[in-house]
Amino acid sequence: MTPALRVLKNSTVLSLSVLLERGIAFFLAWYIARILGREIWGDYSTALSFITIAVAIAPWGFGILLPRKISRNIDEAGKLLINASLIGGISSIIIIGLLVAGVLLLNYPAHVETLIILGILLVVLPSTEASIFEAAITGLEKMEWILMARLPMTVLQVGSSILLLMLGFDIEILFVVLAIYYVSVTVIYVYFFKSSLNSFQLQIDRSLVALLIRQAIPFVIIMSLSQVFLQADRIFLSKLRDTETVGLYATGAMLIQLIYMAAPAVMISLFPGLSRAYRKSQDHFSNLVSQIFKLLLITVFPLTIMIISLAGIMILVVFGDSYEPSIIILQILALGILPSIVSRLLYR
């Protein structure tokens, strides 16, 4: 398969996976927001803000580092994965402890505090391991494995979550189901690796662990700062106003988040090819980045205008009149789509 076809295949598979997953997951968010109401949706969104920070930092930057190292040395994929997974597990435990302590200091109402802490305890570790396995799969350029694992499990996760809510379970049950989802996805990834890689063995290399920790530090700092910055608005809102206000903000941001979830699928697919192109010829690398940059400008700008124009219709039809304050939020956040997506390319 030629490099161009490989990028097309991988970006198509990953984009399809993300769009289908987020499309399916949207029904759960919609059910909570429209059926259960703004207050519960706000509590859930506040808890998700803390979990989002944790699951971004805990993988220790391997979402970027691991694909690069594996794409350049596929024979070491198993060894790299196991040692990165060990680091991710230790990092997760530390992050969980720090965030739980932070939540306790913020002095939320008891039911909100319990929801946040339960989500952190249940979700962070399995999510970290799943993300590290996905990073390794990206390095192998086997994006179809991600689609095969995540799509059916997402259907089960969303379907069972809505069913349990309809049966009268409290919102806390969603984090139990989410933890089971990540554990199941990780188990499937383990099966794929063991079936396809002879070198996939449980072998801890202390020198490699130390090397990976050092090399990933810049990515950890970047992810920490970016995710804290991205989630800080919701955390401030939850303390300065209330969690219901967080729900209104989250509703306006939901469509933007869908786009931001799809964008990395393309960028992640491009990354191994860009890494190899840089090693072979920096001129070719520069030309490739320039062409991708122009393509993004052509495609993303009309999308931004469309979202701003149709924001009112999208919010009122989907969520109802009680979410009218979310319209202006969507329109303002849409202004950041183009610079955000372009920066994702330049970052890589």
Side-chain angles (χ1 to χ4, degrees), residues 21 24-25 27-28 153-163 177:
E21 286 176 40
I24 295 167
F27 287 104
L28 176 58
M153 295 311 303
T154 299
V155 174
L156 290 174
Q157 180 241 332
V158 173
S160 58
S161 295
I162 293 176
L163 177 61
V177 176

Side-chain angles (χ1 to χ4, degrees), residues 4 20 22 26-27 47 66 116 193 209 225 251 253 260 264 283 286 298 347:
L20 288 174
R22 302 312 298 175
F26 174 81
F27 287 104
L66 207 55
I116 297 172
F193 271 97
V209 168
L225 293 175
T251 302
Y260 288 165
D283 289 336
S286 298
I298 294 171
Y347 167 65

